[in-house]
Amino acid sequence: MKLRKVKGLNGTIAIPGDKSISHRAVMFGSLAKGTTHITNFLSGADCLATIDCFRAMGVEIEQDGTEVIVHGNGLHGLKKPEKQLDVGNSGTTTRLISGILSGQDFDVTLSGDESLNKRPMGRIMKPLSTMGADIQSVNGDGCAPLKIIGKPLKAVHYDSPVASAQVKSAVLLAGLYADGKTSVTEPALSRNHTELMLQSFGVQVSSQGTTAEVTPPAEMTAADIVVPGDISSAAFFIAAGLVTPDSCITLKQVGINPTRNGILKVCEAMGADLVLSNVKDDSGEPTADITVKTSNLKGTEVGGDLIPALIDEIPVIALMAAFAQGETVIRDAAELKVKESNRIDLTVDNLVKMGVDAEATEDGMIIRGGNPLKGASIHCRYDHRIAMTFSIAGINADGETVIEDAECVDVSYPTFYEQLQMLSGQ
Ligand code: S3P
């Protein structure tokens, strides 16, 4: 993908469905009795991998673009797949499904692409093993491929060392099959979509502070799920509208769940012209339209308990910092090293390539903003969020920017380039 400066971004777009919520809707619909209708499903590669996994375990799932109908098999209705499950590039599929598979009465192996098979799985293997699951890393390196032999599970309380919704969810989903109440305490509150959506499927879940507890149900009941727009996808156009001269963009129906909306707080601290309207809160997952206009941003500090609420947005926040006056310090974000790529190193390397004064630290990065950006050839290591971050950089840089492997945006945002072009009036 080749990009050059644009004359401004203007217009209104609908943001595709939330990736985290789309995964969960398919998973929980598969485990429920009855028919689950999903509207505004994210038809990106990651969520399609989740659909394929559950189809391979005997669940009938109809998909027509963003509309999905899941004919659930009930809590104990999954069947042993004929082959190993392919989880593609998706960490969410891998970790959440591992919790579910731990409690089945069959064994299964799951494996993903090169990047996925390098990501740490010890973080779920440990608590799931404590519950009685037999879960092994096939190559003994703590990564996928994982072989999971379903077992009867014991209820536990798990004190997680990481604020990770994937870890929390893996344990809570295994807890659906345990012999009592299972709870997880995390060091800071991560996204709570699992807790909220399990309740919609009739499961008793309670949350207090950073602890969530699930009571194993006899059955789950089907639900209708309307997936809000993904704030992690909206983030690229929030940043684009703020840093591109002569811009005004409205993003419709974006999810603003407080466990996800850290970027809005950072925008406020940076002095962004950002307005929420049409705020709705009907399903426990609040949404709003977000309007952003070109702004003079100032540097800020990002860290502490806010990190889990914006973990996927840090590369694009770093880009906003490159356009801000003064210094931005991002800390407490070592988790970024084990995402689809090492996002600390890759973000900083690519920023520096474009002429930004940026440096990596142990747990984040420091960006001194204000230098003009120059076009560069960007390597994303097939990381969708790096590709989109540096595409927004490219339309604000002198000269040409080339994004290698740009097709990786399909993982979470297949219509990204189409919408970018539409907003730039080209
Ligand atoms: C996700 C949780 C986050 C996030 C990922 C999606 C989820 O990962 O980075 O993109 O859907 O639960 P961690 O929970 O590992 O931080």
Side-chain angles (χ1 to χ4, degrees), residues 163-225:
S164 159
Q166 294 182 354
V167 172
K168 172 174 63 178
S169 301
V171 177
L172 293 177
L173 293 177
L176 295 174
Y177 296 95
D179 59 2
K181 291 181 181 187
T182 289
S183 55
V184 183
T185 301
E186 39 185 358
L189 187 61
S190 66
R191 64 192 68 191
N192 63 357
H193 306 304
T194 295
E195 297 91 302
L196 293 175
M197 201 190 289
L198 280 176
Q199 288 172 349
S200 305
F201 281 84
V203 181
Q204 206 183 315
V205 181
S206 65
S207 298
Q208 208 162 30
T210 59
T211 300
E213 180 181 83
V214 65
T215 303
E219 272 301 348
M220 290 166 62
T221 41
D224 287 344
I225 302 292

Side-chain angles (χ1 to χ4, degrees), residues 11 32-33 45 47 94 104 113 121 157 163 174 177 202 218 257 270 280-281 304 318 336 365 370 405:
K33 264 217 145 85
C47 300
T94 312
Q104 303 305 314
D113 69 10
M121 294 299 152
H157 170 73
Y177 296 95
N257 177 319
M270 295 181 90
K280 290 189 191 145
D281 192 0
L336 286 181
M365 55 192 98
D405 297 336

